[in-house]
């Protein structure tokens, strides 16, 4: 009895310890959430000072990822909202709104009173009602050190005709399916029958011409053993459709499309093509070990045709080449040979003609044909477009990336930003591309950006490490340091000609915040640091004007 009583007592003690630990963790989590809410409130206070709509022509937006890029339902414009940027030491969140005019190839920053709080990884959709509306749901906010996260569950609408933001309502979001009525502004919860997708994030969600909804891919984690989580990149596909003759009833069906399917990935981008096909671009395939995570970034293009339930690889044809022109005329002569020798060689040897033809379903068929060519005047002629391999010169295409922004307008696909990793460095992109979906020849560069010039702040070494290295350096190193200190004047980001202060601050804010934090010390409050950073930037901007 005594032993049993001790065991029970010991068991109760362990339960109490676990309960205390859980309570402590819960309390710390609430404290972190309160800190983030206070920071969000601080930014909203700054936004509240904006009382008028200000539209300012500007240079392209700064590098970012997990923003939203949407096509205006009535105008030749693209709408960019929000996003995030990480410079190696600090995470920056945005709630900026930019408009890209397709015809003029120009950007405008639009400041509207009472915008949604800064966020990234939100959902965005445009509808034509009321002169055009941009709907924003949820998203994420992160602390400057990237260690704490706050997840929104709010819903906003931007009325494009009047340029006014409106917060519609707040509600509790679970891993369920909801529908929002654009006429009544009311949510309704759907309870589909059948087996649907497992819980996941970052999946593709698109609408078929028949009004059904397609869910593809995504990412999730599950516990495989104590303190070890394993990620899963889903490549399954589901169809959510209404039951015939039963209004308001929905059913899940797992589908297995034919064709050339995308490889498993996450962080891909999705847009709807003009022919109601779903377009998928890029992403990252993570190779995950217990202690490491390596990502293989992609820049391939796929189309899903819901009417055929088939995937197609978006292979580009490439630009017309000189090789094609020569083949339609006379054969190019080898260097050092005269015309007569070339004609004799052509007459003696059979000619192998290789052609690659892209069929209607996207399949590439290689056709080989042996011909006896009596002379250059008998060269076979073809009106077929050359394959990318036959087009002289490399194709222009975006570098591999994930979390890019896509939008389709007038049969053209627009791609903006995203990110990729180079070793321990995360590179956030700000380049801008366009692809004609009818020609599918090659990408056109609208804004070129060199990621090598992007600021990246490495973690500084400890003081002890610096002291040790200095001690080993000797007198020669001391002399070098003394001589170099005079030359190390601070090189602030330059002001470009005609640039407005708002654009300059948006582009260089992280630099000035770091400078202000170094002056104020690590204990300084974020509000004070931000205020000092803006003041320093304004003083330098005014001096440079």
């Amino acid at each position: 009895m005594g032993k049993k009583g001790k065991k029970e007592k010991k068991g109760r003690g362990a339960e109490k310890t676990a309960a205390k630990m859980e309570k402590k963790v819960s309390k710390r989590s609430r404290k972190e959430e309160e800190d983030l809410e206070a920071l969000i409130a601080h930014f909203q206070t700054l936004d509240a000072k904006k009382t008028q709509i200000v539209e300012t022509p500007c240079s392209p937006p700064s590098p970012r990822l997990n923003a939203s890029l949407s096509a205006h339902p009535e105008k030749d414009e693209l709408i960019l909202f929000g996003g995030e940027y990480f410079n190696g030491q600090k995470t920056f969140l945005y709630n900026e709104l930019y408009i890209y005019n397709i015809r003029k190839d120009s950007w405008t920053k639009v400041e509207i009173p009472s915008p949604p709080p800064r966020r990234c990884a939100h959902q965005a959709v445009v509808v034509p009602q009321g002169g055009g509306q941009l709907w924003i749901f949820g998203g994420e906010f992160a602390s400057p050190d990237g260690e704490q996260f706050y997840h929104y569950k709010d819903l906003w609408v931007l009325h494009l005709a009047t340029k006014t933001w409106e917060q519609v309502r707040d509600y509790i979001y679970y891993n369920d399916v909801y529908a929002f009525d654009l006429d009544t502004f009311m949510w309704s919860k759907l309870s589909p029958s059948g087996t649907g997708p497992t819980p996941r994030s970052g999946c593709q969600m698109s609408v078929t011409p028949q009004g059904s909804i397609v869910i593809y891919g995504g990412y999730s984690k599950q516990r495989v053993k104590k303190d070890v989580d394993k990620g899963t990149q889903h490549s399954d596909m589901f169809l959510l459709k209404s039951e015939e003759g039963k209004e308001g009833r929905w059913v899940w069906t797992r589908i297995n499309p034919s064709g050339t399917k995308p490889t498993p990935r996450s962080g891909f981008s999705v847009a709807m093509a003009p022919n109601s096909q779903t377009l998928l671009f890029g992403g990252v395939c993570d190779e995950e070990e217990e202690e490491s995570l390596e990502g293989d970034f992609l820049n391939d293009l796929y189309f899903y045709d819901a009417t055929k339930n088939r995937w197609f690889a978006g292979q580009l044809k490439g630009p017309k080449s000189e090789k094609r022109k020569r083949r339609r005329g006379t054969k190019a002569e080898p260097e050092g040979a005269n015309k007569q020798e070339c004609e004799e060689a052509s007459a003696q040897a059979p000619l192998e003609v290789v052609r690659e033809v892209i069929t209607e379903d996207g399949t590439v068929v290689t056709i080989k044909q042996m011909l006896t060519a009596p002379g250059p005047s008998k060269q076979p002629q073809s009106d077929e477009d050359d394959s990318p391999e036959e087009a002289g010169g490399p194709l222009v295409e975006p570098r591999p990336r994930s979390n890019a922004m896509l939008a389709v307008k007038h049969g053209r696909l627009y791609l903006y930003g995203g990110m990729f990793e180079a070793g321990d460095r995360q590179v956030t992109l700000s380049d801008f591309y366009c692809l004609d979906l009818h020609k599918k020849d090659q990408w056109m560069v609208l804004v070129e950006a060199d990621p090598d010039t992007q600021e990246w702040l490495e973690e500084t070494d400890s003081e002890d490490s610096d002291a040790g290295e200095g001690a080993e350096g000797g007198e020669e190193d001391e002399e070098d340091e003394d001589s170099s200190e005079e030359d190390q004047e601070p090189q602030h980001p330059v002001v470009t000609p005609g640039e407005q202060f708002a654009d300059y601050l948006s582009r260089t804010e992280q630099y000035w915040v770091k400078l202000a934090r170094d002056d104020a010390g690590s204990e300084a409050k974020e509000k004070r640091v931000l205020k000092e950073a803006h003041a320093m930037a304004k003083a330098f901007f005014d001096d440079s004007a």
Side-chain angles (χ1 to χ4, degrees):
M1 292 290 292
K3 291 182 178 179
K4 184 178 180 182
K6 289 182 179 179
K7 288 182 179 179
E8 290 178 350
K9 185 176 182 180
K10 185 177 180 180
R12 287 195 297 270
E15 291 176 0
K16 289 182 179 179
T17 301
K20 288 181 179 178
M21 182 62 68
E22 184 178 352
K23 185 176 181 181
K24 185 177 181 180
V25 172
S26 177
K27 185 176 181 180
R28 185 173 63 221
S29 298
R30 287 198 301 270
K31 177 65 169 58
E32 292 176 350
E33 185 169 328
E34 290 173 357
D35 291 343
L36 288 181
E37 289 177 345
L39 187 56
I40 293 171
H42 162 66
F43 286 129
Q44 285 185 295
T45 301
L46 297 178
D47 290 333
K49 297 178 180 179
K50 303 173 182 177
T51 58
Q52 295 181 340
I53 301 174
V54 179
E55 300 184 39
T56 308
C58 62
S59 55
S62 59
R64 64 193 63 199
L65 69 152
N66 285 329
S68 59
L69 183 66
S70 310
H72 195 294
E74 296 182 351
K75 299 181 180 180
D76 294 335
E77 296 176 344
L78 304 180
I79 308 165
L80 179 71
F81 174 77
E84 64 175 311
Y85 172 73
F86 179 60
N87 67 356
Q89 291 184 353
K90 184 176 178 181
T91 300
F92 297 85
L93 277 299
Y94 305 106
N95 64 345
E96 301 167 328
L97 184 73
Y98 290 92
I99 303 295
Y100 174 71
N101 188 301
I102 296 175
R103 295 186 180 277
K104 297 181 180 180
D105 186 25
S106 63
W107 288 92
T108 301
K109 184 177 182 180
V110 184
E111 298 180 70
I112 301 175
S114 304
R118 304 182 183 200
R119 66 189 63 202
C120 66
H122 50 276
Q123 301 297 317
V125 64
V126 290
V127 295
Q129 279 84 346
Q133 298 171 345
L134 171 67
W135 289 85
I136 300 291
F137 171 74
E140 182 180 86
F141 181 85
S143 60
D145 60 8
E147 296 294 330
Q148 303 172 31
F149 300 93
Y150 180 90
H151 295 93
Y152 295 103
K153 52 183 180 180
D154 51 354
L155 180 65
W156 294 76
V157 58
L158 172 63
H159 300 281
L160 298 173
T162 59
K163 292 186 173 61
T164 54
W165 281 107
E166 177 187 358
Q167 185 174 7
V168 181
R169 74 185 273 247
D170 194 6
Y171 77 102
I172 300 174
Y173 178 77
Y174 301 97
N175 293 333
D176 300 323
V177 184
Y178 288 83
F180 183 76
D181 192 309
L182 296 175
D183 295 323
T184 63
F185 279 22
M186 296 293 293
W187 285 98
S188 61
K189 181 180 178 181
L190 307 183
S191 300
S193 59
T195 303
T198 56
R200 63 192 63 190
S201 65
C203 59
Q204 165 190 321
M205 188 174 183
S206 55
V207 181
T208 70
Q210 295 76 26
S212 301
I213 297 173
V214 173
I215 301 291
Y216 168 75
Y219 182 83
S220 65
K221 279 190 174 183
Q222 63 181 25
R223 182 65 51 87
V224 293
K225 59 183 180 180
K226 185 178 180 181
D227 299 327
V228 177
D229 292 334
K230 183 177 181 181
T232 300
Q233 295 178 112
H234 300 280
S235 58
D236 49 1
M237 205 162 185
F238 295 83
L239 184 69
L240 178 64
K241 62 179 181 180
S242 58
E243 296 189 49
E244 294 183 7
K246 298 180 179 179
E247 186 177 354
R249 300 286 297 274
W250 295 78
V251 59
W252 281 112
T253 304
R254 181 164 181 169
I255 56 178
N256 185 25
S258 58
T260 306
K261 303 176 184 178
T263 55
R265 66 190 67 195
S266 60
F268 51 81
S269 306
V270 176
M272 295 300 296
N275 54 2
S276 299
Q277 291 183 341
T278 301
L279 190 153
L280 182 150
F281 172 84
V284 59
C285 178
D286 289 326
E287 298 178 4
E288 193 169 0
E289 302 291 340
E290 289 190 8
E291 300 296 332
S292 65
L293 181 66
E294 296 291 335
D296 181 19
F297 289 84
L298 308 166
N299 64 345
D300 46 1
L301 191 63
Y302 289 88
F303 295 85
Y304 173 69
D305 191 326
T307 58
K308 298 179 181 179
N309 191 27
R310 186 180 182 90
W311 281 103
F312 301 95
Q315 185 176 6
L316 303 185
K317 301 174 184 178
K320 296 181 180 179
S321 66
E322 292 298 322
K323 183 177 180 181
R324 175 186 173 191
K325 294 178 181 179
R326 288 199 303 267
R327 188 167 57 192
R328 290 184 178 178
T330 59
K331 184 178 179 181
E333 299 177 4
E335 186 176 352
N338 58 38
K339 183 176 180 181
Q340 181 178 357
E341 291 173 343
C342 292
E343 291 177 352
E344 292 175 355
S346 299
Q348 294 172 0
L351 178 66
E352 181 184 46
V353 178
V354 180
R355 297 172 57 203
E356 287 187 346
V357 179
I358 303 177
T359 63
E360 186 178 287
D361 64 358
T363 305
V364 180
V365 179
T366 302
I367 302 175
K368 294 185 178 181
Q369 187 177 9
M370 301 298 296
L371 298 176
T372 301
S377 61
K378 299 295 184 179
Q379 291 296 316
Q381 298 185 7
S382 171
D383 291 331
E384 296 289 339
D385 287 338
D386 294 335
S387 67
E389 290 79 9
E390 293 178 335
L395 289 175
V396 175
E397 57 184 2
R399 67 170 61 240
R401 68 191 67 198
S402 68
N403 305 97
M405 286 65 76
L406 293 185
V408 175
K409 190 72 174 180
H410 295 320
R412 293 180 179 269
L413 171 65
Y414 292 87
L415 181 147
Y416 179 83
M419 62 85 69
F420 69 94
E421 294 173 351
D424 295 332
R425 180 186 176 193
Q426 174 182 301
V427 182
T428 308
L429 299 165
S430 60
D431 47 0
F432 195 27
Y433 289 83
C434 174
L435 173 66
D436 190 319
L437 294 176
H438 300 295
K439 296 180 180 178
K440 293 181 185 176
D441 47 2
Q442 68 173 353
W443 290 91
M444 180 172 64
V445 182
L446 300 179
V447 175
E448 194 170 12
D450 184 3
D452 294 333
T453 62
Q454 188 178 114
E455 177 190 44
W456 181 255
L457 306 179
E458 298 288 351
E459 294 184 3
T460 57
D461 297 332
S462 63
E463 293 181 1
D464 293 339
S465 175
D466 292 341
E469 293 175 0
E472 295 176 2
E475 296 180 359
E476 185 176 346
D477 289 343
E478 290 179 3
E479 292 176 1
D480 291 339
E481 291 176 2
D482 293 339
S483 61
S484 62
E485 284 180 358
E486 298 177 358
D487 299 331
Q488 292 179 350
E489 294 293 333
Q491 299 296 319
H492 302 314
V494 298
V495 179
T496 59
E499 188 174 27
Q500 300 296 319
F501 175 67
D503 297 325
Y504 176 77
L505 182 62
S506 174
R507 178 170 60 85
T508 64
E509 185 180 36
Q510 57 265 33
Y511 169 83
W512 294 106
V513 168
K514 179 180 181 300
L515 206 62
R517 182 173 286 105
D518 292 342
D519 291 344
S522 58
E523 301 299 324
K525 293 184 177 180
E526 186 70 21
K527 184 176 181 180
R528 176 191 165 190
V529 172
L530 193 64
K531 184 177 181 180
E532 183 176 344
H534 288 187
M536 295 168 66
K538 186 66 166 64
F540 178 77
F541 181 87
D542 292 341
D543 291 341
S544 302

